[in-house]
Amino acid sequence: MKYIDEFNDPELARRLLDEIRATATRPWALMEVCGGQTHSIIRHGIDQLLPEQVELIHGPGCPVCVTPLEVIDKALEIASRPGVIFCSFGDMLRVPGTDRDLFRVKGEGGDVRVVYSPLDALELARRHPDREVVFFAIGFETTAPANAMAVHQARRLGLTNFSLLVSHVRVPPAVEAIMTAPACRVQAFLAAGHVCSVMGMAEYPELAERFRVPMVVTGFEPLDILEGIRLAVRQLERGEHRVENAYPRAVREEGNPAAVRMIQEVFEVTDRNWRGIGPIPLSGWRLTDAFRSFDAEHRFDVSGIRTEEPAECRSGEVLQGLIKPTECEAFGTTCTPRNPLGATMVSSEGACAAYYLYRRMNAATPQAERAAREEMNPVA
């Protein structure tokens, strides 16, 4: 297949679904790790088309959603300071901190700007030497190379007014945390194809062997996901637990060596706290000592932050795959994209946002879906 619409072919989807039905003889629970896959699954109703023996559990694959509350509050503090241009991707603007969000800081006069690349923020630093430009560097392994390159370029250009507020997280330690949790029901994983396109697959065979779970590297289109499910169910039925690459058009065994080298030069592995989950050892990155002068946390000394999550928000349970979004009493009532209690409702990859947009009882019309989209994407 050459063109993207071919990965939405309904006839091929029916064939894959028939194969999955014919293969699955027992109940199996699979987790998709990536929030982009979650949105594709819910948007196309893939979970509703699967046989009842196959359950999809939504994992913590949304980097916006797992960014710790204390880091969000640090971002709000930095963005509020005079002389700062605070740059972020658009889906961070409505992520709630303890008592406000970046959208509100912008409304109160803070210079908060939506950018599409960390290099956009770097250009702002070059054009405004009298201002401190801070880029909110979040994400899994996928976004780390570009953020590392921005810092590398800042040092090369001698831009001392540029820094990163870093909250990078890594997928393999999260998989280990999920599998060692007491309430874990996951029997196989659909691994995130974009992460593996950067880092390769070397870290996954040990996890598959230790926890005896199939791990299938999967893309994001409907047929990608159905093929990943088919391969995972086939392994489960055979009693196998291997790493398979169902996304060969984008993922190679070794990943992208140049990108990995750039990450390793600029970042080092560290423990990281995950919002709604808690601390996971060795699950994040921070700037190395050689680039520590570009660390916004050190530059602005944002210590002593006190945080408080809303008691009625159950997004942590959603992120751990313990409940579906609709099982939260606040879903769609006191918690909406316009007034979110947790990041999973407002992030473009959040599971709650996917259910709100595609599964609401009154979202059967194009007008209702358009209204929900507008609610999730306010003009910044």
Side-chain angles (χ1 to χ4, degrees), residues 71 73-87 111 125 128-136 159-166 287 292-305:
V71 176
D73 283 354
K74 288 176 181 179
L76 299 172
E77 168 64 24
I78 294 171
S80 300
R81 296 189 181 184
V84 170
I85 301 175
F86 193 89
C87 300
D111 194 346
H128 299 278
D130 58 328
R131 307 280 298 279
E132 286 285 345
V133 178
V134 182
F135 179 71
F136 204 173
L159 295 176
T160 59
N161 63 324
F162 177 79
S163 60
L164 299 183
L165 180 61
V166 180
L287 291 167
R292 192 59 51 83
S293 62
F294 295 96
D295 188 334
E297 288 195 55
H298 289 270
R299 181 172 296 191
F300 291 92
D301 187 24
V302 281
S303 57
I305 296 287

Side-chain angles (χ1 to χ4, degrees), residues 12 68 76 87 97 102 108 124 187 225 230 265 294 331 333 364:
L12 290 177
L76 299 172
C87 300
L102 284 169
E108 293 171 347
L124 284 171
Q187 296 166 291
I225 293 169
R230 184 186 73 85
E265 178 182 351
F294 295 96
F331 175 82
T333 56

Side-chain angles (χ1 to χ4, degrees), residues 21-230:
R21 291 190 189 97
T23 303
T25 63
R26 288 172 284 170
W28 300 113
L30 288 62
M31 175 176 279
E32 83 276 2
V33 177
C34 174
Q37 291 171 341
T38 300
H39 270 251
S40 186
I41 287 166
I42 304 304
R43 178 182 183 184
H44 297 284
I46 291 173
D47 57 330
Q48 296 177 322
L49 295 171
L50 292 170
E52 62 180 11
Q53 298 98 317
V54 180
E55 177 190 1
L56 293 180
I57 299 174
H58 313 313
C62 167
V64 172
C65 302
V66 301
T67 300
L69 183 56
E70 59 266 26
V71 176
I72 300 293
D73 283 354
K74 288 176 181 179
L76 299 172
E77 168 64 24
I78 294 171
S80 300
R81 296 189 181 184
V84 170
I85 301 175
F86 193 89
C87 300
S88 172
F89 295 142
D91 55 358
M92 291 301 301
L93 262 65
R94 280 207 176 274
V95 176
T98 296
D99 56 11
R100 55 182 176 160
D101 56 27
L102 284 169
F103 202 71
R104 181 173 170 182
V105 170
K106 181 179 176 67
E108 293 171 347
D111 194 346
V112 178
R113 305 192 189 187
V114 173
V115 296
Y116 299 94
S117 162
L119 297 178
D120 294 341
L122 193 67
E123 175 61 17
L124 284 171
R126 189 188 66 78
R127 286 164 38 200
H128 299 278
D130 58 328
R131 307 280 298 279
E132 286 285 345
V133 178
V134 182
F135 179 71
F136 204 173
I138 69 159
F140 286 104
E141 293 92 332
T142 320
T143 57
N147 293 336
M149 175 60 76
V151 171
H152 192 275
Q153 286 287 88
R155 188 172 71 171
R156 185 180 69 82
L157 295 171
L159 295 176
T160 59
N161 63 324
F162 177 79
S163 60
L164 299 183
L165 180 61
V166 180
S167 186
H168 271 299
V169 286
R170 302 174 57 239
V171 170
V175 170
E176 181 173 5
I178 290 164
M179 292 307 300
T180 54
C184 177
R185 299 188 298 113
V186 178
Q187 296 166 291
F189 284 93
L190 303 181
H194 54 1
V195 170
C196 293
S197 71
V198 174
M199 303 303 294
M201 302 187 295
E203 293 183 272
Y204 293 102
E206 187 273 332
L207 291 169
E209 179 64 30
R210 177 155 46 115
F211 296 111
R212 304 185 69 81
V213 290
M215 305 190 76
V216 181
V217 179
T218 307
F220 304 89
E221 298 302 320
L223 295 187
D224 289 327
I225 293 169
L226 287 171
E227 174 65 359
I229 293 169
R230 184 186 73 85

